[in-house]
Amino acid sequence: MTLCSICGKEKAVIKIPYEGKYLCKKCFKKYFVEKAEKTLKKANVFSNSSGKLFVVATSGGKDSLNALYVMKTLSKKYGFDVEALLINEGISGYREFTIKALIKVANRLNVPYRIVDVKKHFGFTIDEAAKLFFEGKIEWKPCTVCGVIRRYLLNKVSREMGASYLVTGHNLDDDLQTAVMNLIRGDFQALIRGGVVVKAEHPKLVPRVRPLHYIYEKESLIHSIITELETPYVECSYAPYSLRWNIRELLNKLEAVESGFKYRLMVKIDDLRERFSKYKVQKFTECRLCGEPSAKEICKACEIKLRIMKVLENA
Ligand code: SF4
Ligand code: ZN
């Protein structure tokens, strides 16, 4: 039996490879929150945070529930408010289960929550958009439509809620996959905009923060189990159609042969981000149709909406 490297008494439940530590349940719970706190503190998120509102984008999956738990725990120490926001994309066999998980955890943590329907705002669900993609009627994969629409609504609604920060549950695996995807696409601007904090580059953009940026997906899973943040471990059926899926497989294979590889690469990428941050180009304007921040005259969400509604009308 391996004993915990911190207390030296209890049985270890997890190995933290890049720190050479084995941790028991109790010490891991503490380690998890402290690691997220250290990550946010280093990024200056808590300076003058008292009385401010942190809206946590919560899908009801393990990562976002962990982010909600961490922020609620830290809110007592730093004096800020926490609310949860869920975007219901309309993905059957998936989202209805995670909505139930969010409601249960939010009630347990005593956190107010808001649920926003994509169908109500955009006139279609992601299931309907996916059907059009598989029929060859639109060129955007389900994850592309979902990502654009979700980012749009999270920013708009959290701003309307009065958020100073929008917190997301992206873990180290997610953020590393995104960085590699941006490298493959040659999107240097998106690459250097990532990291623990994504600053607001337009008055209508809410700064985004990622407390789990240095926490492995596996650590997130174990934390959600030992803190009893009950969620169904279902995966969205559209995930395998994305580039992210293949990159995830590749990074997992590399981690299996070289333990701690993902963490070391993430640190290197963040170091590059800092060095190249002076090359950031702030080119946001406002969408001519909806008034939301956009890099082009018409934002991607409106472009997708117009196209999908046209196809649906002609069907
Ligand atoms: Fe949306 Fe793709 Fe995630 Fe499914 S896997 S929830 S479609 S981004
Ligand atoms: Zn728009």
Side-chain angles (χ1 to χ4, degrees), residues 2 20 83 105 110 156 162 170 185 214 217 251 255 257 266 271 291:
T2 309
E83 288 184 30
V105 172
N110 201 16
K156 186 173 190 288
H170 294 98
R185 289 174 179 146
Y214 292 117
E217 181 168 13
L251 293 173
E255 178 75 27
V257 290
M266 191 78 261
D271 183 40

Side-chain angles (χ1 to χ4, degrees), residues 91-307:
I91 301 175
S92 52
Y94 172 60
R95 190 53 82 217
E96 65 268 36
F97 301 115
T98 66
I99 288 177
K100 278 188 195 152
L102 161 71
I103 295 172
K104 203 169 163 196
V105 172
N107 286 338
R108 178 183 135 195
L109 299 176
N110 201 16
V111 172
Y113 61 86
R114 188 180 290 201
I115 297 173
V116 172
D117 279 328
V118 165
K119 177 91 177 175
K120 208 164 148 196
H121 281 261
F122 281 86
F124 60 86
T125 63
I126 297 304
D127 276 344
E128 286 167 325
K131 188 168 177 279
L132 296 181
F133 170 76
F134 294 123
E135 288 170 354
K137 291 179 180 161
I138 58 167
E139 67 272 34
W140 303 294
K141 287 181 183 178
C143 291
T144 306
V145 178
C146 184
V148 169
I149 302 294
R150 194 149 26 93
R151 271 193 302 277
Y152 178 96
L153 285 176
L154 283 173
N155 183 71
K156 186 173 190 288
V157 179
S158 65
R159 188 183 70 234
E160 288 164 2
M161 288 164 78
S164 293
Y165 286 106
L166 176 65
V167 182
T168 63
H170 294 98
N171 59 42
L172 187 146
D173 291 64
D174 298 326
D175 284 346
L176 191 58
Q177 289 154 18
T178 304
V180 174
M181 278 160 65
N182 288 330
L183 270 174
I184 291 171
R185 289 174 179 146
D187 193 342
F188 178 69
Q189 284 300 317
L191 179 71
I192 58 173
R193 269 205 303 272
V196 176
V197 176
V198 181
K199 288 185 184 146
E201 292 163 327
H202 185 278
K204 285 186 174 176
L205 283 173
V206 179
R208 278 170 284 149
V209 295
R210 296 165 172 170
L212 313 188
H213 181 70
Y214 292 117
I215 290 173
Y216 271 60
E217 181 168 13
K218 186 179 142 202
E219 294 166 26
S220 181
L221 172 66
I222 293 178
H223 183 267
S224 72
I225 294 169
I226 63 177
T227 42
E228 295 169 5
L229 300 174
E230 283 171 35
T231 182
Y233 295 102
V234 282
E235 194 121 36
C236 172
S237 58
Y238 303 125
Y241 299 96
S242 63
L243 171 62
R244 180 181 292 279
W245 183 267
N246 294 315
I247 291 172
R248 178 168 116 166
E249 305 268 291
L250 176 71
L251 293 173
N252 284 345
K253 277 184 191 155
L254 290 168
E255 178 75 27
V257 290
E258 207 187 315
S259 185
F261 157 82
K262 289 183 201 167
Y263 180 78
R264 289 193 291 276
L265 184 57
M266 191 78 261
V267 170
K268 289 255 181 306
I269 289 173
D270 285 340
D271 183 40
L272 280 177
R273 278 182 176 131
E274 239 182 274
R275 288 197 216 180
F276 287 99
S277 61
K278 59 182 176 215
Y279 296 108
K280 266 188 213 168
V281 183
Q282 299 181 5
K283 50 171 187 175
F284 281 94
T285 172
E286 285 180 16
C287 170
R288 186 163 57 80
L289 300 178
C290 68
E292 287 300 305
S294 170
K296 293 184 185 163
E297 198 191 349
I298 294 180
C299 75
K300 193 78 191 169
C302 283
E303 185 192 337
I304 289 175
K305 181 182 172 179
L306 287 175
R307 180 73 194 286

